Amino acid sequence: DVKVTQSSRYLVKRTGEKVFLECVQDMDHENMFWYRQDPGLGLRLIYFSYDVKMKEKGDIPEGYSVSREKKERFSLILESASTNQTSMYLCAAQGEPYEQYFGPGTRLTVT
Amino acid sequence: RKEVEQDPGPFNVPEGATVAFNCTYSNSASQSFFWYRQDCRKEPKLLMSVYSSGNEDGRFTAQLNRASQYISLLIRDSKLSDSATYLCVVTRNYGQNFVFGPGTRLSVLP
């Protein structure tokens, strides 16, 4: 089984802080994704990456950036956290043919 | 209109009941379709893929109607352990992106 881990389960940050969320997969999958999940809205794609140093915007990239320096690691960065970024953040790695394996999620609260 | 729509529920059914969920999608170019299951405070996990010919996995049956752009999931003989949120998923951009529905919550009652 693919294992996807995320650096924190719960995180509390202040408005304006820079926030790093890290995601690591233990398989050699090229495609990795960052989503946020909010009640009634479902999972929404923030950014994704097909390979090292490659990144593509998803549906809601504003206020976020990403970094993929190594194949197994995909980081989500909130440059200046705001209260409307309080959410559950889920990272996924995509296997073949299309199954996405999710990490346990990081519940971020911005106060 | 949202790209993928689902009835949020909750669907409260007794053990042993048969329950069906529908999901509609707006992008006719969507190529692949899935049902994911998400337990409370857990991450989503693949339940099954959905094929044009329909497919069955034990008590679960998935159907796809491309003409009407909807997907269904049927659960027979519901178990308490089936209680979860069921997410409908379609792909776009040649399978590169997944679009998740908001989910349908199922509670199976003893």
Side-chain angles (χ1 to χ4, degrees):
Chain A
D1 266 1
V2 176
K3 191 166 177 64
V4 179
T5 57
Q6 294 183 227
S7 49
S8 307
R9 291 300 302 271
Y10 300 94
L11 209 51
V12 180
K13 294 291 182 181
R14 292 189 183 276
T15 301
E17 279 193 84
K18 191 168 186 175
V19 182
F20 293 87
L21 302 182
E22 298 229 308
C23 174
V24 179
Q25 54 144 331
D26 69 350
M27 294 294 286
D28 202 32
H29 294 307
E30 291 174 345
N31 298 351
M32 295 186 74
F33 303 80
W34 273 107
Y35 297 90
R36 63 177 283 177
Q37 186 173 28
D38 300 288
L41 297 177
L43 279 83
R44 292 179 291 166
L45 181 63
I46 304 171
Y47 266 97
F48 58 103
S49 169
Y50 296 135
D51 207 344
V52 175
K53 296 197 188 294
M54 294 186 70
K55 58 186 179 185
E56 297 283 345
K57 292 180 180 179
D59 297 317
I60 52 163
E62 296 78 19
Y64 303 94
S65 62
V66 290
S67 171
R68 188 139 181 228
E69 296 296 319
K70 293 185 178 182
K71 196 170 190 177
E72 68 271 18
R73 190 179 297 267
F74 190 34
S75 301
L76 180 69
I77 303 152
L78 286 66
E79 297 290 342
S80 176
S82 62
T83 54
N84 63 12
Q85 293 178 310
T86 292
S87 187
M88 171 68 84
Y89 289 88
L90 288 155
C91 174
Q94 185 163 307
E96 294 297 332
Y98 287 129
E99 182 169 357
Q100 293 206 350
Y101 300 90
F102 285 86
T106 297
R107 185 165 293 281
L108 172 67
T109 302
V110 183
T111 61
Chain B
R1 185 186 168 191
K2 289 181 182 174
E3 195 164 346
V4 180
E5 296 195 81
Q6 296 180 250
D7 181 342
F11 283 60
N12 298 316
V13 303
E15 264 187 294
T18 295
V19 61
F21 308 135
N22 285 332
C23 161
T24 57
Y25 62 96
S26 60
N27 186 349
S28 59
S30 298
Q31 295 103 11
S32 301
F33 308 88
F34 308 90
W35 284 101
Y36 273 66
R37 171 195 168 124
Q38 186 172 24
D39 293 312
C40 189
R41 302 186 200 286
K42 297 279 192 178
E43 70 273 20
K45 292 186 178 179
L46 179 66
L47 177 67
M48 58 197 302
S49 302
V50 187
Y51 304 118
S52 297
S53 54
N55 49 302
E56 192 173 306
D57 184 1
R59 298 181 293 109
F60 298 83
T61 301
Q63 299 270 356
L64 166 64
N65 185 319
R66 284 190 186 269
S68 301
Q69 295 182 205
Y70 80 79
I71 305 151
S72 64
L73 177 68
L74 182 77
I75 305 175
R76 289 182 299 278
D77 189 23
S78 300
K79 312 289 185 194
L80 295 176
S81 57
D82 293 334
S83 296
T85 297
Y86 291 83
L87 307 174
C88 173
V89 184
V90 306
T91 64
R92 52 167 146 88
N93 294 341
Y94 305 102
Q96 292 175 345
N97 290 161
F98 277 32
V99 182
F100 286 80
T104 297
R105 193 152 61 90
L106 171 66
S107 290
V108 181
L109 308 172

